[in-house]
Amino acid sequence: MTIDRKAAIAAYKDRKTVAGIYVVRCAASGEAWVGQAPNLETIQNRIWFSLRQGSHTCRRLQAAWNAHGEAALTFGECERLEDEETAYVRNALLKERMLHWLSELKAEPI
């Protein structure tokens, strides 16, 4: 049993994450918010958790959640980034692409 646990931990640490840009939209108000994440697989859970707790740092997004509810908000991926060798290059590219999507979607940053 401990071998399976160790293997599971090793597999978790070795998994590949996909960085990218995402958008949260409110169907009721028409607002959109764009953000960047080093791991697109987990960011929606993090955002939805903080919204449910009433503690999201983006006040307008939290206000939309409070006013219209979870059903009015949708999460989508704008862009996935290729695996970069260094965190510095990945972070610079995330910032650059986020600015692009903010302008393209006329959205607010998260």
Side-chain angles (χ1 to χ4, degrees), residues 18-81:
V18 178
I21 309 299
Y22 62 89
V23 61
V24 176
R25 296 177 190 266
C26 179
S29 68
E31 293 174 285
W33 297 268
V34 170
Q36 61 183 352
N39 187 354
L40 285 174
E41 305 288 322
T42 60
I43 192 66
Q44 182 181 2
N45 287 339
R46 187 180 323 162
I47 293 169
W48 261 231
F49 178 81
S50 64
L51 289 168
R52 283 186 194 107
Q53 300 303 311
S55 62
H56 198 280
T57 57
C58 180
R59 290 185 178 166
R60 292 183 59 129
L61 176 57
Q62 185 69 59
W65 175 278
N66 294 343
H68 307 293
E70 180 176 353
L73 293 170
T74 59
F75 177 89
E77 292 181 10
C78 296
E79 182 174 359
R80 288 177 169 239
L81 299 182

